[in-house]
Amino acid sequence: MTVIQKKEYRPLTEATSITYLQKLGYFTNQVCESVEIGDGNLNLVFKVRPVDQEQGLIIKQALPYAKVVGESWPLTLKRATIESNATKIYNELIPNLVPKIFAHDEEQAVTVMEDLSHLQILRKGLIEKKSFPFFAEHIGEFLANSLFFTSDFGTTPAKKKELELTFNNPELCDITEDLVYTDPFFNSETNSFEEELLEDVQALWNDEVLQLEAAKLKLDFLSKKEALLHGDLHTGSIFASATETKVIDPEFAFVGPIGFDLGQIQANLLFQIFSRTDQKEEILDQLVTIEKVFNETFIRLWEEHSVRPFNQVELIKEKLEGYWIDAIGVIGCECIRRSIGLAHVEDIDSLELDRKIAIKKEILAFGANCIKNRFTIGNIKNLISDWSNKS
Amino acid sequence: MTVIQKKEYRPLTEATSITYLQKLGYFTNQVCESVEIGDGNLNLVFKVRPVDQEQGLIIKQALPYAKVVGESWPLTLKRATIESNATKIYNELIPNLVPKIFAHDEEQAVTVMEDLSHLQILRKGLIEKKSFPFFAEHIGEFLANSLFFTSDFGTTPAKKKELELTFNNPELCDITEDLVYTDPFFNSETNSFEEELLEDVQALWNDEVLQLEAAKLKLDFLSKKEALLHGDLHTGSIFASATETKVIDPEFAFVGPIGFDLGQIQANLLFQIFSRTDQKEEILDQLVTIEKVFNETFIRLWEEHSVRPFNQVELIKEKLEGYWIDAIGVIGCECIRRSIGLAHVEDIDSLELDRKIAIKKEILAFGANCIKNRFTIGNIKNLISDWSNKS
């Protein structure tokens, strides 16, 4: 008789992270060092390496709670498996744009993956005004491949329904449903903003058209199951250098509207345009390049892989237009929630108060306009040219 | 040590169906009679009753294959559990409009349910030109309640995601994806139609606008996850009498576009209008009443249960308009597939050849018009008035 003992979840330490790896057969008989390099809010992240080499391995372990702005709430460990599963799919589709996964332990919510510590989190690099000349092309390819091959254009109905099972992700979707699509549009406890913004914020809360259009976008998020999304694709979920781009942290992955991933990454680049006093052109180019590369790659993939009855070019063009209309709406939501909701962005929050207030007012107005006029704006190119004409 | 023995699936017989029920505690120590009353294509259906009473119990057992037009293909037994789970949900929402469920056995794919043999399958009754004066109101209520309370307006995102797990139904959705949305629009092997229709059918296959619009409807079916659908709501899935209505057979249940259930039932009533030479008015009234009762009930439920941010009347009105536009498209698909696809309807197939051909030509043109012009037609009221004006 075999007694299967379920091992209780136990957070790793720097010491146990080394033995954990060695039990898996890595770095055996080598003297190793482990350093916890995570921000400690949601996950433990250890870099473990033999003392005589720079490159090691990353052990990421989900914590059973989240800490945001001092608050702590329970959060499912299942997200580690969601993240690992999504990264595995990305490794099949665009292996050069995501970390390799070496092992995953569902019970301990642990994933062993490629050490990317030679790269920098894109948001930090952008704030330091570094250049990432390949980033826009890379992320356009990432978006087109990951979204096409998990959509009804690139996979079978049965495989898509398997994705819906694997990535049924109620706990993390709930965070987005609340923090992106609901709370910022009402006087909710989770909101957090400077008192100087109160008048602008109240105007948003009293804007009936905005409320209606935001509700429609939330309905889309809840019911438009177009492709497997990363679900949290901001500039903090990307490692980059002058030549490399790696998308990390897809723990929010689920099958949802394609415009969501498109809009989130674009919004987070827009925060750079808002916060910079110079070198805006580079970021504007990236916005346009991402749209262009995504559209061209998506169409190319569809030309190579299209099946009946989805083989009419009018269909794919109409759908692409729809994705970008949705994305403009998502940009609007992201602009508003990152200004007045629970989780802000360093790009804006690190500015001195007066400038921050002025820029946040601008971002709030810009966001409301995106949400209300997304059908007439239509795409990133128009959004930027409208805006360049105004400023 | 307990050895759990998995009982192998075994089809019931009239004799074993009685002992099966008695082991569950029904009709113990009573002399019973069992009669198989199913059509034997997909399921075994036994009516078991004590010999001294009329009313008994129904035992329905899924068969591991489907027989259609002489062909036999394997078909998942899981559909019995899907059907039982959907019927249980309907019992919570609209108990008077579905059979009661007394027991379900997942391994044997068996469900014990209320004996409704005092009622008649609606399709048969309509062909016999019986009147069902409460049917339209009942089915309108069924649709509004079952769809509202499983949509994002009537349930929480977490509960809706649970529905998506429970009713992830790839095998039976695949049948609809092929037989309703794909095969009839191409020269597919599964199609079956009279040679006199060839010219009309080829015109459909060469109609590029129709092809494009049908592809869009298929995409909706694959990606619009609005509510838990019955998934096969034609007049053969309804038991009725002059006073009662009971919806049965939700083995195709899944989370999909609301317009699908709305359109399927309406299309199957339309077949009566096409095939009748008199008493059409009664059916026309039913079509309009279903739309009216559905809309009014859906809005009333939303008024009583609406939550932020979905509490604006413009939102619900716009969504209702969208559901009926989708439904007109579904009517079109159902008209075409029931005329030239694999599975026909008795309403039309029982007519003598010349009339059948003439009517099928009419139905094909009507269906293509519904698909192509669903946005301008908009709803059932317009559809009928357009059509009455022409004829």
Side-chain angles (χ1 to χ4, degrees), chain B residues 336-385:
Chain B
I336 291 174
R337 76 106 167 192
R338 293 294 197 180
S339 302
I340 65 170
L342 180 70
H344 296 185
V345 290
E346 199 190 327
D347 318 54
I348 308 296
D349 262 20
S350 59
L351 304 174
E352 56 87 19
L353 187 66
D354 282 358
R355 237 192 112 223
K356 179 163 68 176
I357 298 297
I359 288 176
K360 278 196 173 186
K361 287 182 178 204
E362 213 182 322
I363 294 177
L364 287 175
F366 178 86
N369 181 52
C370 284
I371 292 173
K372 294 197 281 187
N373 300 309
R374 63 194 186 282
F375 289 94
T376 46
I377 296 169
N379 60 46
I380 297 293
K381 230 176 145 180
N382 295 342
L383 179 73
I384 287 177
S385 74

Side-chain angles (χ1 to χ4, degrees), chain A residues 335-353:
Chain A
C335 282
I336 291 174
R337 76 106 165 190
R338 293 295 197 178
S339 302
I340 65 170
L342 180 69
H344 297 185
V345 288
E346 198 190 326
D347 318 54
I348 308 296
D349 261 19
S350 58
L351 304 175
E352 55 87 20
L353 186 66

Side-chain angles (χ1 to χ4, degrees), chain A residues 1 152-153 157-158 160-162 164-165 168-171 173-174 177 181-182 186-188 207-209 211-216 218-226 254 308-312 314-315 318-319, chain B residues 1 152-153 157-158 160-162 164-165 168-171 173-174 177 181-182 186-188 207-209 211-216 218-226 254 308-312 314-315 318-319:
Chain A
M1 201 176 101
D152 291 305
F153 296 113
K160 180 142 170 275
K161 287 182 186 75
E162 263 176 50
E164 287 171 16
L165 280 184
N168 185 285
N169 195 354
E171 296 90 350
C173 284
D174 178 64
E177 286 149 15
Y181 287 106
T182 317
F186 302 96
N187 188 2
S188 312
D207 183 338
E208 284 183 17
V209 178
Q211 300 279 321
L212 177 63
E213 295 305 319
K216 286 186 202 164
K218 181 171 178 179
L219 267 188
D220 280 357
F221 185 82
L222 292 167
S223 65
K224 225 178 200 180
K225 305 282 179 180
E226 293 177 328
F254 78 109
R308 274 198 326 206
F310 301 139
N311 52 357
Q312 289 173 299
E314 301 94 308
L315 178 64
E318 194 179 309
K319 284 289 156 183
Chain B
M1 203 176 100
D152 291 305
F153 296 114
K160 181 142 169 276
K161 287 181 185 78
E162 264 176 50
E164 288 170 16
L165 281 184
N168 186 285
N169 195 353
E171 295 90 349
C173 284
D174 179 65
E177 287 150 15
Y181 287 105
T182 317
F186 303 95
N187 188 2
S188 312
D207 183 336
E208 285 184 16
V209 178
Q211 300 280 322
L212 177 64
E213 295 306 318
K216 287 186 203 166
K218 182 172 179 182
L219 267 187
D220 280 356
F221 185 81
L222 292 168
S223 65
K224 225 178 199 178
K225 304 282 179 176
E226 294 177 329
F254 78 110
R308 276 198 322 202
F310 302 141
N311 51 357
Q312 289 173 299
E314 300 95 309
L315 177 65
E318 194 178 310
K319 285 288 153 183

